[in-house]
Amino acid sequence: MADAPLDSDKILAEFSGEVPVFPLPSLVLLPDVVAPLHIFEDRYRKMVADALDGERLIAMALLQPGWEPQYEGAPPIFERVCVGSIVSHEKLADGRYKLLLYGLFRAKVVAEVATEPYRRVRVEVVPETVDPSRAQE
C-alpha cells in the first residue's frame, strides 16, 4: 500500500472547500477514525484516482432514506459529512482500490457542484465544540 504523510493542520489550512463525496447507505466516517474502503464502481474508481492526484480528500456522506430507486444517479444525502484524507491505498490489477480514509473534520454541505461521473460538493468546516459541563468526565 502507498502511504501519504498526514499533517491535518496543513490540510485544513490549504483545503479548497470542494471535495468529492462518497455517499453510502450505512457507513459514516468520524474525525480521528480510520475507515477501510473497497472501491469497485467505475465512478468511484475515478473519484479515488482524481482525489489521489489532488488534495487526497473524500467526504463520506450518509444517504437519506429512500435512496434505492435513485442509487445510479444522485440520491439525497444528509448535509453533515466528514471529510477524510486517504492515508494509504492500493490499486488492484483490475482497477479496484483498497484504501484507508482517516476522518479529519466534520463539514456541512452548502452546494453540490458536480455529478458526473461522481459527485462533488462545496462544504463549510464545522468547528469541533466541547461541552464544558462534560469536560471533567
Side-chain angles (χ1 to χ4, degrees):
M1 292 210 167
D3 294 328
L6 184 65
D7 180 345
S8 55
D9 291 334
K10 183 175 190 279
I11 291 169
L12 187 55
E14 296 175 356
F15 178 50
S16 69
E18 282 189 17
V19 64
V21 63
F22 187 38
L24 291 173
S26 61
L27 178 69
V28 295
L29 181 66
L30 299 171
D32 297 320
V33 173
V34 175
L37 298 172
H38 174 214
I39 308 299
F40 52 88
E41 284 187 53
D42 288 340
R43 61 182 164 169
Y44 297 123
R45 291 179 191 192
K46 172 78 170 127
M47 176 190 72
V48 170
D50 290 350
L52 290 168
D53 286 340
E55 292 181 293
R56 301 179 67 92
L57 301 176
I58 295 173
M60 294 289 300
L62 190 62
L63 291 168
Q64 290 188 15
W67 57 269
E68 296 86 351
Q70 301 175 48
Y71 181 72
E72 295 300 323
I77 58 174
F78 286 98
E79 71 175 17
R80 296 296 173 135
V81 298
C82 182
V83 176
S85 178
I86 299 171
V87 292
S88 88
H89 74 283
E90 177 182 7
K91 186 173 183 179
L92 304 176
D94 64 1
R96 292 177 297 136
Y97 284 93
K98 290 182 184 179
L99 57 93
L100 296 177
L101 191 65
Y102 176 79
L104 292 171
F105 53 86
R106 290 179 173 94
K108 177 183 175 182
V109 175
V110 295
E112 191 151 336
V113 295
T115 57
E116 292 188 28
Y118 56 88
R119 299 163 77 177
R120 290 187 61 82
V121 293
R122 184 173 304 110
V123 299
E124 293 176 353
V125 175
V126 175
E128 293 293 319
T129 57
V130 176
D131 180 349
S133 66
R134 299 184 64 150
Q136 299 299 319
E137 293 180 4

